[in-house]
Amino acid sequence: MKNIKFLTGIFFILAAFTFTSCDNEPIDPALDLDNFGGGGNNGGPIVFKADFSGSTWNASAAQANISNGLITIIGTRGTSGEAFAFQILGTTTGTYPANENILAYTPANSEYGYWSLDINNGSTDTGSITITEINTQNNTISGTFNFTGYWSDTTVTNILPTVFNNGVFENIPFTTDGPAPSGDTFYAKVDGVEFVEDQIDGALITQVTGMPNQISVVGSKDNGDTVGLNIVSSLSVGTYQITGPFGEQVNGSSVINDVLYTAQSGSVTITTKTATRISGTFSMVVQNFTTSETKTISQGSFDVEYN
């Protein structure tokens, strides 16, 4: 069994996050909530909470992103990496099974955490997340969640699964990715077949305090298929190994035929990097959490603007 480290970023596949307080007060008093998320938050108080271990957990910051066929949501507390993070294969309201998507909680100052997959039986029903509203006028998303989380360090046998219930997120501001700047290039093969993208997205992902900023590079098709990378923005020219779905420096993911795969191994080579542009090559093996099916992504290359 692989030990899944969450580390400081909890998921490199999560999208751009700028944060506001769950008490509807800005973390930074200078933060302008009226301009937050490209559309402001005029839909009511921001809430992100859940019950577990006999108490109610309330986030101090939350944000979401809807793009490339995925919904990503994160709620954090403090500056020590304590967070819930979700990635959902879909962009509409509805109920999504926890074991076929990613729902996770990482405690403060921990390399590991609880995630919604029984590593010994991927078909185990571990709960669900429901998107009840996507408000495109205020750019906010709301919903509920309940899931059983399994400790990601499988070498530890004395940590029992934890049930997270009565989960609620309301009026969480979300962002969306815009079109790629002209002149960007992206290439990859999936199981030996060229991935012919319809759109290329490059973006600088600004994280909450204590989490590293990232550069996101994604090639996507109009049918929802994607191949994407996340690269810690402080990295310089060089080669970096993908060490699993929660790697410390670089990571990747792919959606093929509505099935989510996350990178288990591979590497990313940065060949050039400026304050606004990055180019390089990559290869990786990606795997679906539930079925353990893998795909090989090879001959990857990119040259994108990310500011």
Side-chain angles (χ1 to χ4, degrees):
M1 299 294 177
K2 289 188 176 180
N3 304 327
I4 309 303
K5 290 188 177 183
F6 283 28
L7 300 169
T8 56
I10 193 169
F11 292 116
F12 272 91
I13 48 181
L14 294 180
F17 297 119
T18 309
F19 292 87
T20 68
S21 164
C22 289
D23 294 325
N24 207 26
E25 299 267 338
I27 295 173
D28 180 348
L31 185 63
D32 183 0
L33 284 176
D34 291 334
N35 293 320
F36 187 87
N41 173 40
N42 302 310
I46 299 171
V47 175
F48 193 119
K49 63 181 181 179
D51 293 338
F52 65 95
S53 301
S55 62
T56 298
W57 187 96
N58 286 280
S60 58
Q63 178 61 300
N65 178 269
I66 303 175
S67 62
N68 298 316
L70 300 170
I71 297 172
T72 54
I73 306 168
I74 187 169
T76 67
R77 186 168 71 177
T79 60
S80 300
E82 184 178 5
F84 279 93
F86 310 143
Q87 186 169 79
I88 303 161
L89 187 58
T91 59
T92 62
T93 57
T95 298
Y96 299 85
N99 66 318
E100 296 178 8
N101 296 272
I102 298 175
L103 282 68
Y105 167 76
T106 180
N109 300 309
S110 177
E111 289 185 313
Y112 299 93
Y114 298 89
W115 66 337
S116 59
L117 180 71
D118 180 354
I119 198 71
N120 295 311
N121 184 359
S123 63
T124 299
D125 180 1
T126 58
S128 64
I129 182 169
T130 299
I131 306 299
T132 57
E133 181 185 42
I134 299 174
N135 187 318
T136 56
Q137 181 177 358
N138 296 325
N139 279 10
T140 59
I141 187 169
S142 301
T144 60
F145 63 93
N146 298 274
F147 72 96
T148 299
Y150 294 81
W151 191 243
S152 65
D153 182 358
T154 57
T155 66
V156 177
T157 59
N158 62 346
I159 298 181
L160 297 175
T162 292
V163 176
F164 302 92
N165 54 29
N166 300 318
V168 176
F169 52 93
E170 296 177 349
N171 305 310
I172 307 302
F174 70 80
T175 58
T176 58
D177 290 345
S182 61
D184 289 358
T185 62
F186 186 91
Y187 183 88
K189 286 187 175 182
V190 178
D191 287 341
V193 178
E194 182 180 355
F195 183 88
V196 182
E197 76 284 344
D198 297 301
Q199 180 173 315
I200 306 168
D201 292 294
L204 178 64
I205 296 174
T206 303
Q207 297 282 31
V208 70
T209 302
M211 295 184 180
N213 292 343
Q214 305 165 27
I215 298 168
S216 172
V217 178
V218 180
S220 60
K221 296 183 180 183
D222 292 341
N223 67 0
D225 287 358
T226 66
V227 174
L229 299 170
N230 283 279
I231 303 164
V232 168
S233 63
S234 61
L235 296 179
S236 57
V237 170
T239 298
Y240 303 91
Q241 299 301 311
I242 296 173
T243 58
F246 311 105
E248 216 172 342
Q249 296 178 317
V250 293
N251 216 312
S253 64
S254 181
V255 175
I256 304 295
N257 296 326
D258 294 326
V259 177
L260 174 64
Y261 301 82
T262 56
Q264 304 297 308
S265 62
S267 65
V268 177
T269 297
I270 302 171
T271 54
T272 64
K273 182 169 177 280
T274 69
T276 61
R277 196 166 192 89
I278 188 169
S279 67
T281 60
F282 67 96
S283 63
M284 56 186 177
V285 175
V286 295
Q287 183 178 46
N288 176 260
F289 286 140
T290 303
T291 66
S292 297
E293 179 187 2
T294 62
K295 291 188 177 294
T296 299
I297 299 175
S298 60
Q299 300 182 34
S301 64
F302 57 92
D303 184 348
V304 301
E305 188 176 347
Y306 63 84
N307 63 326

